[in-house]
Amino acid sequence: GIPSLPHTAADVHFMSGMIHHHAQAVLIARWVPTHGASAELQRLAERIVVGQNDEIALMQNWLRDRREPVPDGHAGPMKMKMNGMDHEMLMPGMLSDEQLKQLDASRAIEFDRLFLRFMIQHHEGAITMVNELFGSPGAGQDEVVFRFASDVYADQTTEIDRMEKMLAARSQDD
């Protein structure tokens, strides 16, 4: 095949960061069956778990093939070295520890509402990451990265629309 264009630090940062980002979505989507969520939400969460687990594997393989460090797909913050110091970094839209605790403590309709609100925030963060990637000179030229980032943008935009409708249907009748 045609040798792919050299990948950039921004490509690696995007693929690594998106593994952490997806891992958190999978983590909270797995709470759905145990927190009294609606059947509709359970279907959405199932799709998120399956889709994002597949994408985590794709990103890990891409990094491995390029002999880059491969995050293990746990849901914690991304550890970055800056000036020889370890820094923890949450990717855009990722839930804080407080938000995770709040979601885990909620049940039934309250869980549905929080889950949708937080997952919309989470998906919007993924879109920010795609925009940052494509805004970096020379980034997103690798065919796999380009296709994956474009898919994330399309899929998550569609899911945000769907979740906003679901959230509106569950809005409080004050």
Side-chain angles (χ1 to χ4, degrees):
I2 304 154
S4 70
L5 290 157
H7 64 281
T8 66
D11 292 331
V12 173
H13 179 75
F14 173 76
M15 296 298 253
S16 306
M18 197 58 86
I19 289 172
H20 290 277
H21 201 269
H22 272 26
Q24 189 184 68
V26 169
L27 171 83
I28 64 175
R30 286 208 165 112
W31 291 351
V32 168
T34 58
H35 286 65
S38 63
E40 188 184 18
L41 210 74
Q42 294 199 39
R43 285 193 298 276
L44 171 75
E46 217 167 280
R47 261 204 316 276
I48 289 171
V49 170
V50 171
Q52 300 211 0
N53 269 333
D54 286 349
E55 291 180 349
I56 287 170
L58 174 142
M59 292 183 275
Q60 288 173 330
N61 290 332
W62 184 89
L63 289 163
R64 201 172 293 119
D65 290 348
R66 282 151 191 80
R67 295 179 171 66
E68 298 287 353
V70 181
D72 62 7
H74 72 90
M78 187 165 167
K79 302 218 184 333
M80 308 278 296
K81 274 222 184 302
M82 280 160 68
N83 315 324
M85 304 274 292
D86 280 325
H87 289 271
E88 292 203 333
M89 216 176 117
L90 280 179
M91 297 289 111
M94 282 180 71
L95 277 57
S96 65
D97 287 341
E98 286 69 43
Q99 287 179 315
L100 288 168
K101 285 192 189 83
Q102 189 189 357
L103 181 63
D104 195 16
S106 67
R107 292 293 181 274
I109 184 79
E110 185 53 29
F111 178 86
D112 274 25
R113 286 193 196 111
L114 273 180
F115 179 90
L116 290 165
R117 234 186 18 245
F118 289 161
M119 196 58 90
I120 289 166
Q121 163 196 317
H122 199 269
H123 276 31
E124 284 170 344
I127 289 168
T128 299
M129 289 168 70
V130 171
N131 288 335
E132 285 171 357
L133 172 75
F134 288 138
S136 305
Q141 305 281 316
D142 176 282
E143 191 188 348
V144 176
V145 176
F146 178 82
R147 222 180 17 233
F148 171 63
S150 303
D151 286 349
V152 166
Y153 190 93
D155 294 347
Q156 305 230 346
T157 306
T158 306
E159 274 185 1
I160 288 169
D161 288 345
R162 186 178 301 134
M163 289 190 289
E164 282 176 340
K165 289 186 180 79
M166 288 169 71
L167 189 57
R170 287 165 178 76
S171 60
Q172 270 131 328
D173 307 316
D174 291 328

